[in-house]
Amino acid sequence: MISVLYCAHLVIAQILRETQREREMVTLVVATTTDPASINPAKALLAMPGWHPGPSFQEEENIKSFTNEGVRVLQHDNFIVNEDNLDLRWEQLTGESVHEIIFLSKHTAVSNRPALTVHPIGVPHLKEGDVPPQGGKPGWAALPNPRIGPWLRLLKNIAFSHNLVPEFEITLEGTHHGPLTNKPTMFIEIGSTEEYWKRQDAAQVIALLIWEGLGLGGGAAVGNWSGENDKNKVLLGIGGGHYAPRHMDIVLKDGVWVGHLLSGYSLPMEDPNLSRVETNSKEIGGTWKESIKASLEATKLAFPGGEIIAHLDHKSFKSWQKNAITGFLGEQNIKIGKPNDFY
């Protein structure tokens, strides 16, 4: 009898501990006062109901926080890519477990075209000794936030309903820049010039994306990954330009999940054999393999139970490059998919 009661007590205690851990899982939304495309969406979000002042970092009084259910908005005065490990620092400060981290930022582009963008972060193509131009560390890829795909689609719908489309392009970006994080991460950006960074209608759309996407308005959150349903295929984008147009065509369809997106510049390849079609992948120099490996491992960790499928922008590669990449993916046991393989 005592043994049965003791076992029951252990089971109840475990359930309570798990419930407590679930209750303490929080989302961090990070904004900086130095960037209007960052702080304006944060202000619009904080103007919505239910927010309360939260704890501040004792050693860094310039970092304020605001809480609403399981969401924490952090506001600081530094460059957005310079505040490393905010997830771990928050956990140490509060004892809460960070589930994910979402950064708000401006976007710049040579075209100056107005855009609302979403993307994973990391600099997996850089080698040791390189200095990342915008944060992170060489060879590192953050865990991509599973919400990236679902939120891109939600963002497009909200932007359309607020008459920002077609003026603003709604798009993914390739994996790039920091800061260092340890939990699933995404950037949401407004581009591409100061005129658009300060647009209040764009800020309001981003605020609504977070409000609805995290279920703060009472509806179901968008983009929660379980890995248990039938739609568990995750796109690992390889090749193409910074805005991933070939991958975008797939991701805009419902049910598609997005991992890392490696643009051509994130796949440095050195051809020692004058572009021979039959070049072996082991003969190709550069950090392209390391970049793919780091991005693949981060994507696997972010999507437990998911089926990671590589999608190649075939037209962006020369024959020797495509042969080397497909051979390497085969060595990693990663399937290469066509568009219909993701639906």
Side-chain angles (χ1 to χ4, degrees), residues 243-297:
Y243 298 99
R246 299 289 183 273
H247 311 314
M248 275 282 295
D249 291 342
I250 296 173
V251 176
L252 287 174
K253 300 289 181 64
D254 285 341
V256 180
W257 302 90
V258 182
H260 274 289
L261 300 165
L262 297 177
S263 300
Y265 60 79
S266 293
L267 298 163
M269 304 180 78
E270 303 167 358
D271 176 21
N273 291 312
L274 301 178
S275 302
R276 287 193 299 113
V277 173
E278 298 300 325
T279 298
N280 188 293
S281 66
K282 294 180 181 178
E283 300 174 352
I284 307 298
T287 58
W288 61 280
K289 286 187 285 189
E290 289 79 6
S291 185
I292 292 174
K293 273 187 176 180
S295 302
L296 172 60
E297 290 307 312

Side-chain angles (χ1 to χ4, degrees), residues 48-218:
M48 296 175 181
W51 293 98
H52 305 281
S56 61
F57 289 82
Q58 293 180 354
E59 77 282 6
E60 298 168 276
E61 293 300 327
N62 66 324
I63 300 184
K64 302 175 183 177
S65 75
F66 304 87
T67 70
N68 189 345
E69 298 181 15
V71 182
R72 310 289 182 260
V73 170
L74 304 189
Q75 179 182 309
H76 64 71
D77 303 324
N78 201 349
F79 290 117
I80 199 77
V81 298
N82 288 352
E83 288 286 354
D84 289 335
N85 300 313
L86 277 173
D87 42 7
L88 297 185
R89 290 155 63 190
W90 182 260
E91 290 180 340
Q92 292 170 358
L93 175 68
T94 66
E96 296 178 329
S97 296
V98 174
H99 172 62
E100 61 187 332
I101 185 165
I102 300 165
F103 290 90
L104 307 178
S105 177
K106 66 184 177 183
H107 171 68
T108 59
V110 174
S111 68
N112 292 333
R113 181 175 180 180
L116 305 177
T117 77
V118 184
H119 70 86
I121 67 171
V123 283
H125 62 294
L126 296 184
K127 60 183 181 297
E128 187 174 353
D130 289 344
V131 178
Q134 293 181 303
K137 65 180 180 180
W140 165 81
L143 302 186
N145 193 318
R147 299 192 197 276
I148 291 173
W151 277 30
L152 176 76
R153 298 186 287 270
L154 178 60
L155 175 59
K156 188 166 188 177
N157 290 339
I158 296 174
F160 185 84
S161 68
H162 284 73
N163 300 313
L164 289 190
V165 176
E167 179 185 12
F168 281 76
E169 181 180 12
I170 314 301
T171 183
L172 293 167
E173 292 183 72
T175 297
H176 66 304
H177 69 62
L180 292 175
T181 62
N182 307 273
K183 302 299 172 67
T185 303
M186 64 190 291
F187 260 64
I188 305 172
E189 302 183 1
I190 299 174
S192 301
T193 66
E194 188 169 3
E195 173 190 353
Y196 298 107
W197 300 336
K198 293 181 176 180
R199 284 273 292 264
Q200 291 299 325
D201 51 355
Q204 187 66 25
V205 163
I206 299 302
L208 286 171
L209 172 67
I210 297 168
W211 182 261
E212 295 182 18
L214 295 178
L216 288 172

Side-chain angles (χ1 to χ4, degrees), residues 1-10:
M1 182 67 177
I2 295 176
S3 177
V4 172
L5 289 174
Y6 179 70
C7 290
H9 172 75
L10 291 178

